[in-house]
Amino acid sequence: MLVALALGTVSCVRPRNDERVVIYSVPGVSGPDCGKELLRVLSRVDGVVKTEGELDVVIDTTNRTVSVKYNSRVTAQKNIEHAIAAGGFDVEDTPANPTAKAKLPAPCQSS
C-alpha cells in the first residue's frame, strides 16, 4: 500500500510598515525656534514617517513634548531618542550632546 502525503507551503507575509507613535518629554522644546531645530534633527532619522512630504511629528511647546510616528521595521524608539539627544536636546532620561546643545538657540538650551 502506497500512501501519498502532500505538504503545502505556508507563506508568512510581513507588512512593510509597522507604524507606531511614541511621545517623548523634551524640556528644551520651549518655542517655535526650538521646534524647527527639533524637526531638523528628526528629518535625518530613517524610519520617521512622512505624510504628504511632511514629517508626521507633533511638537507641543506648552507641555514640552514631541509625538513621533515611526516605522518600527526601519528604526527603534531608542534610535529616535538618541538622535534627539545627539541633536542637542535632553530627552527622557538621555542627556543632550553638550556640543550640539551649545549650538542651539539660547531658549532651547534650558532643561
Side-chain angles (χ1 to χ4, degrees):
M1 177 182 330
L2 181 61
V3 177
L5 182 62
L7 297 176
T9 59
V10 177
S11 174
C12 181
V13 178
R14 291 184 177 180
R16 297 178 90 176
N17 292 320
D18 184 16
E19 293 181 355
R20 300 176 184 197
V21 176
V22 61
I23 299 173
Y24 297 104
S25 172
V26 184
V29 68
S30 59
D33 289 340
C34 304
K36 288 178 189 175
E37 289 294 325
L38 188 52
L39 283 174
R40 183 185 57 76
V41 168
L42 291 170
S43 72
R44 296 189 305 234
V45 180
D46 286 337
V48 173
V49 174
K50 290 184 179 180
T51 303
E52 296 181 13
E54 298 291 323
L55 291 176
D56 206 333
V57 171
V58 177
I59 297 172
D60 181 343
T61 57
T62 302
N63 294 312
R64 297 185 182 203
T65 60
V66 60
S67 170
V68 180
K69 185 184 261 189
Y70 70 100
N71 182 346
S72 69
R73 298 215 181 270
V74 178
T75 194
Q77 274 184 253
K78 275 295 185 186
N79 293 352
I80 298 168
E81 186 175 322
H82 287 290
I84 293 170
F89 292 93
D90 293 317
V91 54
E92 298 296 330
D93 296 328
T94 305
N97 174 297
T99 304
K101 188 172 189 171
K103 294 177 183 178
L104 291 175
C108 308
Q109 295 179 22
S110 65
S111 295

